[in-house]
Amino acid sequence: MEPEALERLRAALEREAELDRPAEETPDVGIIMGSDSDLDVMMGSEQGRPGAYDALTALGFAEQTAEELPDERFTFETYVISAHRTPGLMYTYAETAADRGLEVLIAGAGGKSADLPNMTASIAYPLPVIGVPVQEKSLQSVIGMPQGAPIVAVDAGKSYNAALSAVQILARQHEELRERLTAQHDALREAVATTSTELHALGTEGFSARRDSDP
Ligand code: RP5
């Protein structure tokens, strides 16, 4: 028998799958990770690089929690699911994902046996799953899928890119998201052009001195 908390969680997912809620009320993106120790990579941190949470919220997505159904049209949800410690929960989450209204999943795991992304991709198929190797050593176990069992994956730690890829997938159906991605990309390109103009104008020494004084 499974612990009560686990049974409750699985039952809640199964109930939600039967509700047949309208798309506006269900999360579009599901973020799952093997442990809450993966949170800094999956969410993003001050000390490290930005993560999937940062990318999604910057694009106007809001997090849907058990307590809150946000007003924003596009939302995501977040769960910790361990492939090896809670395989039943992984199975239920992946199997109910499409019926719960999710359009794309982002799955991150660390360690050498980072099986949450690849197993979730197999169970949730044909729902797209974007794998995030939380550590360098997780790369092979995330991307090493047999023929016929696909997973899309990003480089180690790059959950930010996983979120952008997820929104690219959603943008095929939502013009509004395509515009948000384009605007963000334009800002990125403009920043490079501004830097290049300033570097060329000030010269290497001048640019470097200004950067050191105002990092
Ligand atoms: C942690 O264990 C890793 O970061 C990983 O995501 C997590 C889950 O591993 P399993 O419980 O699925 O083995 O060290």
Side-chain angles (χ1 to χ4, degrees):
M1 235 180 66
E2 287 196 315
E4 215 179 291
L6 206 47
E7 277 186 5
R8 270 204 306 273
L9 211 44
R10 293 180 70 179
L13 293 170
E14 276 157 6
R15 261 198 318 276
E16 281 178 20
E18 282 164 16
L19 288 178
D20 202 21
R21 291 181 292 169
E24 296 73 29
E25 291 176 22
T26 58
D28 305 281
V29 182
I31 301 178
I32 54 175
M33 63 197 88
S35 157
D36 65 347
S37 63
D38 301 331
L39 203 58
D40 278 357
V41 168
M42 297 304 289
M43 179 183 178
S45 72
E46 293 272 317
Q47 300 77 16
R49 54 164 73 99
Y53 176 92
D54 297 319
L56 290 174
T57 49
L59 286 164
F61 283 65
E63 183 165 8
Q64 198 177 119
T65 67
E67 258 99 65
E68 199 179 345
L69 174 63
D71 292 332
E72 283 83 349
R73 163 61 188 88
F74 298 104
T75 59
F76 62 96
E77 65 173 15
T78 316
Y79 281 98
V80 164
I81 297 174
S82 159
H84 303 112
R85 289 168 291 148
T86 60
L89 178 60
M90 173 184 66
Y91 191 87
T92 302
Y93 187 86
E95 204 190 33
T96 58
D99 287 341
R100 293 179 57 244
L102 292 157
E103 299 284 352
V104 51
L105 304 180
I106 298 172
K112 269 183 160 177
S113 303
D115 293 318
L116 180 69
N118 59 53
M119 286 307 298
T120 300
S122 292
I123 302 162
Y125 187 84
L127 200 69
V129 176
I130 304 168
V132 181
V134 167
Q135 297 164 309
E136 289 282 345
K137 64 182 173 187
S138 323
L139 201 59
Q140 291 307 322
S141 59
V142 171
I143 64 175
M145 294 287 272
Q147 187 168 316
I151 189 166
V152 175
V154 294
D155 197 6
K158 302 270 175 62
S159 76
Y160 187 93
N161 280 357
L164 292 185
S165 300
V167 180
Q168 282 181 288
I169 292 170
L170 293 169
R172 303 304 301 162
Q173 293 172 46
H174 301 283
E175 174 66 16
E176 196 183 333
L177 291 179
R178 203 179 68 79
E179 284 165 12
R180 291 185 204 176
L181 283 174
T182 305
Q184 194 192 55
H185 195 239
D186 284 349
L188 207 65
R189 296 193 302 159
E190 192 175 317
V192 175
T194 304
T195 304
S196 187
T197 306
E198 288 176 1
L199 172 58
H200 187 58
L202 297 173
T204 303
E205 280 190 14
F207 182 86
S208 170
R210 197 197 60 178
R211 206 175 51 167
D212 288 348
S213 68
D214 184 19

